[in-house]
Amino acid sequence: MSADEITALSLTDVAAKIAVKELSAVEVTEASLDRIERHNEALNCIAHADPEDALAQAQKADETLAKDGPVGPLHGVPLAHKDMYYRAGRVSACGSKIRADYVPDITSSALKKLDAAGALEVARLQMVEFATGPTGHNEMAGTPRNPWNTDHITGGSSSGSGSAVAGRMVYGALGSDTGGSIRIPAYCNGLVGMKATYGRVSRYGAMPLSFSLDHVGPLCRTVTDCAVFTQVIAGNDPDDPTTSREPVGDYLSDIEGGVRGLRLGVPKNHFFDDVDDEVREAIQASIEIYQKLGAKIVEVEVPGIKHGFALGEVLGRVEAATYHSTWLRERPEDYGTQTRNRLMQGFYYPGTRYIEALNLRGQLLSGFTDEVFSVADILIAPSVPMAVPTIAETDMSANQGFLDMIARFGSCTRPFNFLGLPALGLPCGFTGNGLPTGYQIVGRSFDEATLFRAARAFERETGCTDNAPAL
């Protein structure tokens, strides 16, 4: 197989071929590194790659396979991750100047679990500075570019993760999601991205932004890839007291079970209020496919959702400002303008408003669960309400309507960070500009399995993840 044929395989397919020695981890890693070498100049999604170390990992994986067999479901598979996951003894720059030389002495729990599953880490990926923006812009480290059209944004803040996975440089990547930063890059790059339930995946050793809203999760090419990846990193972690003891279950056991009899809720309020026609039409066509596959379509009134958006903003802004307060006082010039402006907003909320947001979270989640999931099993909604814009259109210095655009950009994803519900982003075609479009499906707390099952039924019917950008 050629390098491009190898990198075109899905994560699960390449893992299977490595396990039966049809391909070696070295061959697959060489193909991944070749792709990085040829295309990163155009995409700017790699923060750092060490080919010598990557090949050493691959050689060791092949030796282990020959002696003992595969150590886990990702044995020998090259991955790369958003540059905010700490690995002891290695730089983790967080897309910033301030942490350009930061070397942690701990390794994140998510990376440890991927290591234990046999995965290789071949690069660190670019990201929005300190994970503070939804478009992907980074004036400090450079802005990654969308492999479908390099004039367009990748979405953020997991910008490098979206670009590298869609560009077939690696088979999957960790992102993070505080207001949509997994689901937005999934939308922009034609990928599958899972923000699992709050507490489902450990955040230990991942750069914090907002304690109440941060989620760890993957960006992958297919639904099954995403289910396997999420399965590996999910579960309770003694190092992260916010992780749940709720059993994870098996995301693959019923993934081919289809959607017959499943109740798909379509929101009557908020989510479709300000959506471009071509995005609305693509989602409506997707709803009709679910109906064709046997799902029951029900319209639902979503309670308190605009409050959830506003209160989530309070939590996110205040907690981020608190985390960055010392640097903002002592090194304000070392932040990019957009990042500094966004972080500074958190200092202007009164403490009473922050406490109110915390106290109302459980009440709004309870109301949402009672009203929505009493009549529906999952909810479908836009991920982003517009076609993927260009880098120029979303540049703060060039666009007078920048703040309004940013608020609109994350209007559909942010509420589910506040509520902590699992949400899976999935592609469903292309808009008139040739860029991907998609939607998200949202489930009950800790019911990621139903989301994977529904998404897999749609993927199987439509081939929505079969397309790849031409680089």
Side-chain angles (χ1 to χ4, degrees), residues 60 204 321 426:
K60 184 176 180 181
Y204 177 77
L426 190 68

Side-chain angles (χ1 to χ4, degrees), residues 239-304:
D239 288 326
D240 180 356
T242 68
T243 52
S244 173
R245 295 185 180 277
E246 184 78 17
V248 175
D250 185 348
Y251 295 150
L252 296 175
S253 63
D254 194 33
I255 198 169
E256 301 292 345
V259 295
R260 185 161 300 281
L262 193 77
R263 299 172 300 172
L264 180 67
V266 180
K268 293 192 289 186
N269 59 313
H270 179 72
F271 291 100
F272 289 95
D273 291 349
D274 190 23
V275 175
D276 287 355
D277 287 344
E278 58 182 341
V279 176
R280 184 191 304 273
E281 289 165 6
I283 298 173
Q284 180 57 44
S286 301
I287 292 168
E288 291 169 3
I289 288 168
Y290 279 113
Q291 187 172 32
K292 171 189 168 185
L293 294 173
K296 180 183 178 182
I297 310 304
V298 293
E299 288 193 332
V300 293
E301 186 78 24
V302 182

Side-chain angles (χ1 to χ4, degrees), residues 155-442:
S157 61
S158 308
S159 48
S161 301
S163 181
V165 176
R168 273 51 184 173
M169 294 179 177
V170 290
Y171 295 90
L174 284 171
S176 69
D177 196 312
T178 305
S181 292
I182 290 170
R183 289 159 291 158
I184 291 172
Y187 176 91
C188 293
N189 295 279
L191 299 173
V192 182
M194 169 59 89
K195 181 200 80 65
T197 309
Y198 184 84
R200 172 51 79 209
V201 180
S202 174
R203 301 175 298 178
Y204 177 77
M207 181 212 79
L209 180 62
S210 169
F211 177 84
S212 299
L213 305 177
D214 291 344
H215 294 68
V216 165
L219 285 147
C220 299
R221 301 181 199 165
T222 75
V223 174
T224 303
D225 288 357
C226 196
V228 170
F229 198 130
T230 307
Q231 187 84 58
V232 166
I233 62 175
N236 181 256
D237 177 17
D239 288 326
D240 180 356
T242 68
T243 52
S244 173
R245 295 185 180 277
E246 184 78 17
V248 175
D250 185 348
Y251 295 150
L252 296 175
S253 63
D254 194 33
I255 198 169
E256 301 292 345
V259 295
R260 185 161 300 281
L262 193 77
R263 299 172 300 172
L264 180 67
V266 180
K268 293 192 289 186
N269 59 313
H270 179 72
F271 291 100
F272 289 95
D273 291 349
D274 190 23
V275 175
D276 287 355
D277 287 344
E278 58 182 341
V279 176
R280 184 191 304 273
E281 289 165 6
I283 298 173
Q284 180 57 44
S286 301
I287 292 168
E288 291 169 3
I289 288 168
Y290 279 113
Q291 187 172 32
K292 171 189 168 185
L293 294 173
K296 180 183 178 182
I297 310 304
V298 293
E299 288 193 332
V300 293
E301 186 78 24
V302 182
I305 201 65
K306 290 189 176 179
H307 295 300
F309 179 87
L311 294 170
E313 282 281 292
V314 174
L315 295 183
R317 295 280 187 251
V318 172
E319 290 173 357
T322 302
Y323 177 71
H324 285 269
S325 59
T326 299
W327 290 331
L328 285 167
R329 286 195 306 270
E330 297 177 356
R331 305 179 60 178
E333 72 284 353
D334 288 336
Y335 286 95
T337 304
Q338 177 177 329
T339 301
R340 184 173 61 250
N341 290 349
R342 287 173 67 85
L343 291 172
M344 289 295 294
Q345 294 174 24
F347 293 119
Y348 300 102
Y349 289 100
T352 52
R353 184 65 169 156
Y354 176 74
I355 297 300
E356 179 186 40
L358 285 177
N359 288 340
L360 287 173
R361 192 178 191 185
Q363 178 182 327
L364 288 174
L365 174 59
S366 178
F368 184 99
T369 300
D370 290 345
E371 293 295 322
V372 173
F373 294 129
S374 62
V375 297
D377 300 302
I378 62 175
L379 186 78
I380 188 169
S383 297
V384 175
M386 66 186 80
V388 180
T390 66
I391 292 172
E393 287 170 338
T394 49
D395 184 88
M396 181 177 68
S397 61
N399 183 356
Q400 303 244 335
F402 173 80
L403 292 178
D404 289 339
M405 173 180 278
I406 294 302
R408 184 181 173 217
F409 208 70
S411 62
C412 295
T413 52
R414 283 186 176 277
F416 299 115
N417 292 82
F418 180 73
L419 296 173
L421 293 168
L424 179 70
L426 190 68
C428 67
F430 298 86
T431 51
N433 62 4
L435 275 292
T437 190
Y439 59 87
Q440 59 181 328
I441 48 176
V442 182

Side-chain angles (χ1 to χ4, degrees), residues 4-18:
D4 282 346
E5 288 173 328
I6 292 172
T7 56
L9 295 168
S10 71
L11 180 153
T12 46
D13 285 343
V14 81
K17 289 182 182 297
I18 291 171

Side-chain angles (χ1 to χ4, degrees), residues 108-132:
S108 84
S109 294
L111 292 187
K112 287 180 181 179
K113 289 187 174 186
L114 291 167
D115 293 345
L120 314 181
E121 185 179 4
V122 302
R124 293 184 287 118
L125 299 176
Q126 298 276 33
M127 58 182 283
V128 174
E129 183 184 11
F130 289 120
T132 53

